[in-house]
Structures are given as structure tokens and as C-alpha cells.
Amino acid sequence: MTKQIRQLDGVVIRFAGDSGDGMQLTGDRFTSETAQLGNDISTLPNFPAEIRAPAGTLPGVSSFQVHFADYDILTPGDAPNVLVAMNPAALKANLADLPRGADIIVNTDEFTKRNLAKVGYQSNPLDDESLAGYVVHPVALTSMTVGALAVHEVSKKDAERSKNMFALGLLSWMYSRPYESTLRFLERKFAARPELVAANVAAFKAGWNFGETTEDFAVRYEVKPAKMKPGTYRNITGNAALSLGLVAAGVRSGLPVFLGAYPITPASDILHELSKHKRFGVLTMQAEDEIAAVGAALGASYGGSLGVTTTSGPGVALKSETISLAVALELPLVIVDVQRAGPSTGMPTKTEQADLNMALYGRHGEAPVAVIAPKSPADCFFAALEAARIALTYRTPVILLSDNYVANGSEPWLLPDVESLPDLRVEFATKPNGEDGTTFLPYLRDPETLARPWAIPGTAGLEHRIGGLEKADKTGDISYDPANHDFMVRTRAARIETIPVPDLEVEDPDGDARVLVLGWGSTYGPIGAACRGLRQRGLSIAQAHLRHLAPMPANLGEVLRSYDRVVIPEMNLGQLAHVIRARYLVDAISYNQVRGLPFTATELETTLEEVLKNV
């Protein structure tokens, strides 16, 4: 049968099912196919914290949302145009997010009385008209997959597990996605079991052919490639981009990179990725705990490497004493905090921006460090390079504040020219620096950076004392002198405050906006999409985004005072807003949420419109 092909400018699809249904893999493969076509993409994985929550229950629902379009997009989308629901729990958990008229593809095989009862359905929603406002496509995904694999030498259990590939094949047909890369992926993934390669390929093709032949899907859609800057792109997650940024930092500095890490969600993927890059001089160590991990990283920096440690909020709390030691020793150290919802164990797989106060102030004594935050998955690469640059140049710990949203989300990344990356080479101390020509003064500072010399242990004539006790200026001897302590505390603070960072750039297309939206970290996408929506409706609004949170840009105060109102959306209870109010005496409007989910552009647009009305 001949099917109609309809052009769309963008689509949001959400795959949802039990945590064992392979929704993350399905979404990832669909995203990879979409990236090959040249669409702009943004993704939002969402999965339970439990390794395997009870099957068929609401807490066990795992989902993957992908937004792709023929234009520049900033978020994974507010509401799915299509929901693929593998069971009743997936339908119930996600239905409230769907707009009326959305397509729902449901696996009818799972809508049994038992599964319906697990999630509180009194009747089958596929039969009781409760879904009348949606376009429902009932598909017997499980039984059709099992039937398609009847001739293959796989167990019924393995056949049922392949239903996610059937769904992927159907959606790939429906949105005209290429599939060659998925077939190659399946060959690699199941290389040790050829029967599973054949089964999954057959399930995928069965889904594709079902879309081609069934009368239920009368329309096929196309989304043309986006107009993007010429170059080579790859789809990348924030954790992967951050890892490659650290590898690039090692190459551009000429230093070995040492990662000391203890596995913790959602930072563990950085350890996994960096462990693959030994050929670039990267050494990874999975420590027995968070304290050992940061201690080893600091020791590596003392020995002349770029020391890095990765963690999330609970781990930063454990590492705080050693970070304070790094402040006292004045050695480079990069601490990556991939934030998640807290406090304590909190919600490990959900996102939040609530570690800002800890990054800025969460150490005993006056122990300032530099703090920066990436704004998107691809930006994690450049943020990692910047963190390394500051750490190496100014001999200081740097906290890099990523979060679960950017860490596990993905977007196209334009591969940079390696020669365009910053030169991070450092000069180690090689000879005495005292006036007499024979004495080494470990705390004699560079007058421009206030950084002390970096002397590799074992260098002849450069023996010096290290440790957490206060050091005397220049000599590094232990000192309890009140005046010296005051001087050293102020000098360490000045070293951070005088780090030159780029001025804050403001996007104010009309130049007459009276309201500024200020953000940091992963709020960049939702803020940008909300402001874009308001401008398209003829409303004037400005936006600016902070990468450097300590020190802050020198022109920030001037920028803030240029607007009648400043709105600061954050996924916390107003931590940046408190800093802005205290430091710049600006009565910023704090707009907050702590739901474990990113802002939607629609809710921000509505909030900002109310502010504009009252200016």
C-alpha cells in the first residue's frame, strides 16, 4: 500500500517501559540514527535509581526522550508528540505529560489484569475511552516479536527481550530513520552470541516491515537535516564530552592525567570512559572510597600529573577535607561534581543544582577554590579544558559543577580543531629561586598569577615541606605567626578573585529589554527556549549565563544594574540568587524547583511573561 509522507520541522518522542525493557538502549540507538541524518537533537534519559525495581510498577518505569528538528533546538522538549508505552505502568507514569492529540503506541500484550492492577487501573484504559483524546496505536509488540523469531534458535525469554528492537524498527520506519548503524551496533554488541545478533536484527526488521504494511500507520514522517555550521559532528553525552575534555587537557598540557574515583551515580561513566584512553597518558584508579580517591588524585598532582577526581554531592562532602588540604598545598586539582538530587542519598538518578553552596563554601576555614559549570552536554568538553587551565595556571583546586541533566543528556558536538585548543603547558621549577641562588622558596609567588612554583619531588635542590599546617610566606616553614596567617589567607583568596575570566555576555537582540534572566549550568537550554518563545511573540527580554561562578565575571555587577528586574531560575531553593543579592545588592527574583527534573520551557515562559507584565 502507498503511504503518505508528511514533512515535520520537529518531533519529541518518549520511549517508556519497565527498567528491564531496554528503553535507554532503544532511545540511544534512535538518537544515533537521527544524528546521522543531520537533525539537531537533545535527549533526556530518565531511569530508576534501583538496579531493577519491581517489574511492572510505577517506580520501575524507565524512559528516554529525544527531541529532533530541522532547526536549532535547546531542550529535549516539554511534551512528547509520541509515547511508546511498553506496559500499563509506562502509560500511567507518562500520560500526564502528553498533549491532547499525541500518538500513543502501546504494547497490548502487557495490558493484563495483573499488570493493570499493579498500577491501580480499575479498567483497561485501552477499552474504557479514557484515552479518547489521543491517537492510540495498539500493537502486540511482545507476541509479534516472539512470532517473528519463531524460526530463530533463541529462547522465548530472549525473544521477548527483543521487543524493544521491534519498537525501534517501527519508529525508525515511521520517522524515516536510517538503520544500517543499528544493525552494525547489534553485530558488535552480541558478537559472542551470533544467535542473538540474528534475533535482534530480525526483530528490528519485523518492526520496520510492520510499519510498512499495517493500515494503522497510514502516514510516514520526514524531518529534514538542520542547518548547522560545517564540520564533523558526533552525538555526545555530557559525561563523554567531559572525559574527552580531560584527555585533551592532558595532551595540551603534556602532563599525565590521573583520575582517582569511587563509583557513584551519575559520575561513574567518566571513570568508565577515561579508562579507555591509556594511550593518551591517562591513568585511572577505582579507589576503595571517596577519601582515598581524592587523596590519590592530590598525590598525583604533587608528583607532577594533572590530578582529577570525579563524584557527586555525597562524595564531595567526603572529599572536603582533602580539598582544603589542596588549597593549603596550592596544587592543581580538578574535582568534578555531577550533581544529583539530595540531601544524603536523595534521588541518585534525578537532577538538581543544589551543590553550589557546597562548591563555593563547603570547606573548613577560609578555603576558596575556583568553580565553573558547563551549560550543555557538548559544552562539558570545553568546561573541562577550562577547569584544567585554571587549575594548572593558578595552582588551585577547581570544582566543575555538572549535573545529571547534562551528564546523561546528549546533543551534536562539532569536533574542534585540536590546534585551536588552549596551550596548557606548564613550567616546573627546576632550580633554586632564592636571592642567594642556592635556596628554594616553595611559596615565592608569580606576581601575575600569585601561583607558587610547582616542584616535582626528587628534583635536586628543591626539597621542601608540604602538609596542612600553615606555611610561612616564601619559605614554606610551619608558621603560627598571626600576621603571616592573615597574609596567607588573604593571598589565597586574592589568587582566586583575581583569576581573569571572560566578561559576561548578554543576549538582548532589541537592546531595550528591562528584564534580564540570569542562569548557570544546565538551565541554559530551558531559559534560552523560553526567551526565544517570548521574543517570537514580540516581547523583549534579555538573558545571560554564568560559566564562572568563582570568580565571577568583572562586569557582572554592571550588567545586573542595567536592568529593572533580574530573574534567576535554579533547580535548588535559590543558591545563586542568595549570592547575587549579598554581593551585588540586587533584589533578584528567584524562581526555583527541586523536582529532580529540568525546567520546561513552557513553565519558564509563563513565569517570565508575568514578570514582564509587572515591570
Side-chain angles (χ1 to χ4, degrees):
M1 60 183 296
T2 302
K3 301 212 174 184
Q4 177 185 355
I5 297 178
R6 186 178 302 168
Q7 296 291 331
L8 299 174
D9 57 2
V11 179
V12 180
I13 297 175
R14 183 180 296 176
F15 298 91
D18 191 67
S19 58
D21 284 337
M23 294 296 92
Q24 303 305 317
L25 174 63
T26 306
D28 182 69
R29 294 314 311 162
F30 189 91
T31 300
S32 296
E33 294 171 357
T34 298
Q36 288 187 55
L37 276 181
N39 297 128
D40 197 13
I41 52 178
S42 181
T43 68
L44 178 64
N46 191 1
F47 42 86
E50 292 80 8
I51 294 175
R52 182 68 191 270
T57 64
L58 293 174
V61 173
S62 174
S63 68
F64 189 105
Q65 182 165 306
V66 55
H67 181 192
F68 59 102
D70 62 5
Y71 58 89
D72 172 45
I73 58 176
L74 297 170
T75 73
D78 289 355
N81 305 111
V82 180
L83 171 67
V84 180
M86 303 297 279
N87 59 22
L91 176 65
K92 189 164 190 176
N94 292 280
L95 187 61
D97 295 336
L98 268 63
R100 291 289 173 172
D103 286 288
I104 303 176
I105 300 172
V106 291
N107 179 14
T108 55
D109 289 323
E110 294 297 320
F111 279 69
T112 63
K113 288 184 178 180
R114 183 184 179 193
N115 287 343
L116 291 167
K118 279 185 182 180
V119 293
Y121 276 125
Q122 301 299 317
S123 60
N124 191 333
L126 304 182
D127 302 327
D128 63 9
E129 300 299 321
S130 61
L131 301 178
Y134 307 94
V135 180
V136 180
H137 304 276
V139 181
L141 285 172
T142 304
S143 57
M144 291 178 71
T145 303
V146 172
L149 302 186
V151 297
H152 290 266
E153 295 180 357
V154 292
S155 66
K156 182 181 179 182
K157 184 176 182 180
D158 284 335
E160 290 177 348
R161 284 177 174 172
S162 301
K163 63 181 178 292
N164 64 325
M165 287 297 107
F166 188 104
L168 178 59
L170 172 58
L171 269 292
S172 298
W173 171 86
M174 190 173 175
Y175 288 95
S176 307
R177 305 292 95 183
Y179 59 80
E180 291 79 8
S181 67
T182 292
L183 301 186
R184 290 194 297 269
F185 168 81
L186 292 172
E187 290 173 357
R188 294 192 305 271
K189 181 176 177 63
F190 300 110
R193 296 187 63 185
E195 74 278 10
L196 290 185
V197 174
N200 279 275
V201 168
F204 180 93
K205 291 182 177 180
W208 180 284
N209 293 332
F210 175 74
E212 186 73 47
T213 57
T214 182
E215 295 183 5
D216 192 33
F217 295 94
V219 179
R220 191 179 187 187
Y221 302 97
E222 286 186 353
V223 179
K224 292 187 177 299
K227 294 180 180 179
M228 304 172 77
K229 184 178 178 180
T232 302
Y233 287 82
R234 62 164 286 186
N235 180 48
I236 200 164
T237 65
N239 275 343
L242 198 154
S243 301
L244 295 181
L246 293 172
V247 173
V251 173
R252 297 298 288 173
S253 66
L255 300 177
V257 174
F258 176 87
L259 173 69
Y262 181 75
I264 184 172
T265 302
S268 299
D269 285 342
I270 302 173
L271 171 61
H272 302 157
E273 180 64 30
L274 283 178
S275 68
K276 304 173 185 177
H277 298 289
K278 297 180 180 67
R279 66 188 183 280
F280 291 109
V282 178
L283 178 64
T284 56
M285 183 188 80
Q286 180 175 319
E288 66 268 28
D289 56 42
E290 296 281 6
I291 299 172
V294 68
L298 182 56
S301 289
Y302 176 57
S305 297
L306 173 56
V308 181
T309 188
T310 55
T311 188
S312 191
V316 178
L318 290 166
K319 295 178 190 289
S320 62
E321 183 179 6
T322 305
I323 297 172
S324 292
L325 175 60
V327 172
L329 295 181
E330 300 189 34
L331 287 171
L333 179 66
V334 176
I335 305 103
V336 178
D337 177 4
V338 186
Q339 300 166 94
R340 69 189 204 185
S344 188
T345 310
M347 299 192 295
T349 61
K350 309 304 178 184
T351 195
E352 209 162 85
Q353 288 183 298
D355 291 353
L356 178 59
N357 281 342
M358 182 164 62
L360 293 174
Y361 311 117
R363 290 161 296 283
H364 61 285
E366 294 286 348
V369 302
V371 181
I372 65 176
K375 64 183 181 182
S376 70
D379 188 49
C380 286
F381 174 86
F382 301 100
L385 274 172
E386 177 68 352
R389 182 191 71 82
I390 292 175
L392 294 171
T393 304
Y394 298 93
R395 313 284 197 270
T396 179
V398 179
I399 294 181
L400 177 56
L401 281 178
S402 178
D403 66 48
N404 189 56
Y405 178 26
V406 296
N408 288 314
S410 63
E411 66 179 351
W413 174 43
L414 175 61
L415 300 185
D417 178 7
V418 174
E419 296 305 316
S420 70
L421 302 179
D423 184 349
L424 302 181
R425 287 175 292 183
V426 299
E427 292 186 6
F428 292 107
T430 58
K431 59 184 179 179
N433 58 359
E435 292 182 0
D436 60 5
T438 62
T439 305
F440 177 59
L441 301 174
Y443 282 85
L444 181 67
R445 301 176 184 280
D446 181 307
E448 182 178 342
T449 65
L450 298 181
R452 76 176 187 89
W454 192 0
I456 296 180
T459 305
L462 304 189
E463 296 84 359
H464 60 285
R465 186 190 306 271
I466 66 166
L469 292 173
E470 184 62 282
K471 305 295 186 292
D473 180 38
K474 297 184 178 64
T475 68
D477 295 335
I478 295 173
S479 173
Y480 292 96
D481 178 67
N484 176 77
H485 179 57
D486 184 271
F487 175 80
M488 294 294 278
V489 167
R490 293 180 186 275
T491 301
R492 287 189 289 261
R495 185 172 43 124
I496 300 300
E497 286 300 322
T498 56
I499 294 173
V501 300
D503 279 349
L504 182 66
E505 295 183 1
V506 180
E507 184 179 335
D508 186 357
D510 297 329
D512 60 355
R514 298 174 62 191
V515 173
L516 171 71
V517 189
L518 181 67
W520 69 276
S522 65
T523 57
Y524 173 79
I527 289 173
C531 290
R532 178 185 291 176
L534 290 168
R535 291 175 190 137
Q536 289 173 347
R537 293 162 50 200
L539 300 174
S540 186
I541 193 165
Q543 66 182 100
H545 212 74
L546 287 169
R547 163 176 279 186
H548 294 86
L549 297 159
M552 290 183 169
N555 70 330
L556 178 55
E558 178 185 351
V559 168
L560 294 172
R561 289 187 288 271
S562 299
Y563 294 90
D564 296 335
R565 293 285 187 276
V566 176
V567 184
I568 304 180
E570 297 180 81
M571 291 186 292
N572 56 45
L573 295 183
Q575 295 184 16
L576 176 63
H578 295 160
V579 174
I580 294 298
R581 288 171 182 151
R583 180 171 294 190
Y584 299 101
L585 302 181
V586 170
D587 188 17
I589 300 171
S590 186
Y591 180 66
N592 314 113
Q593 70 163 38
V594 280
R595 299 180 301 173
L597 295 170
F599 286 106
T600 65
T602 301
E603 67 183 304
L604 277 182
E605 186 173 338
T606 301
T607 298
L608 296 175
E609 185 175 9
E610 287 300 313
V611 175
L612 290 170
K613 288 178 181 178
N614 293 308
V615 174

